[in-house]
Amino acid sequence: MFDHAAFQDHEQVVFAHDRASGLRAIVALHSTRLGPAFGGIRMRAYDCVDAALGDVLRLSAAMTLKAAITDVPLGGGKAVILGDPKHDKSEALVLAMARVIEDLGGRYRGAEDVGTDLRDLATMRRVTRHVLELGTLPLRPAPSTAHGVFVAIRAAIRHRLGREDAGDLRVSIQGLGKVGAELARMLAHTGARLAITDLDPARVAEIAAETGAEAVTPDRILARKTDVLAPCALGAVLDARTVESIDAGIVCGAANNQLADPACGRRLHARGILYVPDFVANAGGVIDATHDGPDYDPERALADVGRIETIVERLLEAAAAENLPPEEVALRMARARLAAAPREHTV
Ligand code: NAI
């Protein structure tokens, strides 16, 4: 594991197995330097353990960056449960996962993610208080994440085009899940001309009817001529091949780890495409998590998420001043905050 390509100096990686419930899980604590390692609990039928390990390591390291760049007192972590949420999930398995989290004594704090939901978190809270409480809002934190991406796009448009909002600009959205659909609604409200896609044609039809967007097949979205491209599906979408075909002025979306490797960010920059680093644009959920508790106030959380607009603005100005890809400058800023933290957080 120490030689894994995605290891990135993780503090702790826990492999857990519970024979009775069939739980097989990995919890990755990338950094607790700024606070408890925070991140979602993903359940997915991975092809192999190595695929699960790579996923959890990459996602956990990204969480550290999100918290550092938005200046919140959280570290970076992530958990994955190996299995198909539709067939393999049981109450016993969810409770076994909660015991793993409880045993970490608060060094890791869990939230829902792909394959887990608020009911699972409620079950876990019978065993551990180290998962989000989440109040009663069924879709949290996706609206906060979507709001963060929306204000990040607004900052990028202002920086690049000197305009106040998406107005009648063209915006292409890849992925219409919890975040992408909400982003489409927000952008449609400002008058943006939307092109949308998803692997699920019924979902595309539903959101197109709701927002007036043009429906596009998944293979056509990335190379389509547009002002803003918002990847809101899966990671590694910007690879050596796709970065050459992208015909957008700005790339800014919710998906985690969009760049297949740092060279792709440099290539986008060389092609004159403004890429807003994913870990800045999609940090709304992390900011939202700092408001968790019985007094959760969605208005206050959303207002706090709005800070992402200023963070993106400053980042893009700094990157332009040095003629560097924004990703490189954002990494430098996040690492500087980590380095300045007095010592490792104790829970
Ligand atoms: P989701 O699972 O609800 O939606 C993802 C959607 O993308 C699905 O509808 C799926 O059919 C679609 N999709 C997958 N591959 C596709 C492809 N090749 N072309 C077109 N569509 C495709 O996920 P959610 O919550 O909306 O998140 C979207 C992205 O944002 C994910 O990468 C997630 O990791 C990231 N993210 C989400 C946060 C949240 O608060 N939900 C927070 C930070 C990041």
Side-chain angles (χ1 to χ4, degrees):
M1 197 201 62
F2 296 112
D3 299 325
H4 197 286
F7 177 59
Q8 297 173 84
D9 289 326
H10 267 72
E11 281 177 19
Q12 189 178 5
V13 182
V14 177
F15 289 75
H17 176 230
D18 177 63
R19 193 187 170 100
S21 64
L23 175 77
R24 290 195 304 153
I26 310 173
V27 187
L29 284 72
H30 178 251
S31 168
T32 57
R33 206 171 160 111
L34 301 174
F38 169 74
I41 305 158
R42 178 169 290 196
M43 182 164 186
R44 199 172 154 192
Y46 291 97
D47 291 339
C48 59
V49 175
D50 195 59
L53 179 61
D55 204 29
V56 77
L57 292 175
R58 274 186 283 273
L59 289 164
S60 144
M63 293 306 291
T64 302
L65 295 174
K66 288 182 208 195
I69 198 98
T70 55
D71 209 7
V72 298
L74 290 171
K78 197 85 184 181
V80 294
I81 301 173
L82 288 78
D84 182 340
K86 284 206 178 79
H87 302 113
D88 303 327
K89 201 195 284 177
S90 65
E91 188 179 83
L93 179 135
V94 171
L95 289 171
M97 185 67 208
R99 284 194 294 275
V100 173
I101 293 171
E102 176 64 12
D103 284 348
L104 286 164
R107 281 170 51 76
Y108 169 71
R109 192 159 176 75
E112 90 280 27
D113 199 83
V114 178
T116 59
D117 57 28
L118 298 189
R119 271 171 307 157
D120 300 325
L121 290 195
T123 304
M124 288 186 188
R125 283 190 72 84
R126 283 159 39 195
V127 173
T128 182
R129 59 192 169 86
H130 303 306
V131 293
L132 287 194
E133 201 165 315
L134 290 161
T136 52
L137 298 168
L139 273 177
R140 215 185 130 209
S144 288
T145 305
H147 182 62
V149 176
F150 178 77
V151 298
I153 289 175
R154 198 158 64 188
I157 287 172
R158 195 179 302 123
H159 177 86
R160 174 54 63 99
L161 304 170
R163 296 176 47 146
E164 267 316 302
D165 61 41
D168 59 354
L169 294 180
R170 294 159 299 179
V171 183
S172 297
I173 304 179
Q174 181 195 43
L176 300 168
K178 299 182 285 292
V179 180
E182 186 62 19
L183 179 66
R185 291 183 195 107
M186 294 169 121
L187 287 164
H189 197 66
T190 69
R193 287 182 286 146
L194 297 178
I196 58 173
T197 196
D198 195 282
L199 295 181
D200 177 358
R203 184 77 174 154
V204 180
E206 180 195 333
I207 306 299
E210 200 183 320
T211 61
E214 182 185 344
V216 178
T217 53
D219 57 320
R220 305 257 325 273
I221 199 83
L222 293 178
R224 190 185 162 90
K225 191 171 177 57
T226 187
D227 297 300
V228 181
L229 169 65
C232 298
L234 296 176
V237 66
L238 306 171
D239 62 23
R241 189 179 55 85
T242 57
V243 290
E244 301 304 333
S245 65
I246 282 168
D247 196 357
I250 294 164
V251 177
C252 178
N256 279 310
N257 300 329
Q258 289 167 36
L259 294 172
D261 60 62
C264 296
R266 291 194 288 274
R267 183 64 192 139
L268 286 174
H269 180 65
R271 289 195 59 221
I273 298 168
L274 185 65
Y275 170 66
V276 179
D278 45 22
F279 65 85
V280 189
N282 71 13
V286 175
I287 296 177
D288 185 287
T290 62
H291 291 260
D292 190 56
D295 302 329
Y296 178 75
D297 174 352
E299 296 296 321
R300 211 167 46 199
L302 273 190
D304 197 12
V305 169
R307 289 195 291 114
I308 289 177
E309 185 160 3
T310 315
I311 295 169
V312 172
E313 230 164 51
R314 289 189 184 145
L315 166 66
L316 297 182
E317 275 164 22
E322 294 186 68
N323 191 23
L324 283 173
E327 172 93 359
E328 282 180 28
V329 178
L331 282 171
R332 196 176 68 201
M333 287 175 168
R335 286 175 184 149
R337 174 156 186 250
L338 282 166
R343 63 185 170 82
E344 296 212 348
H345 176 86
T346 45
V347 182

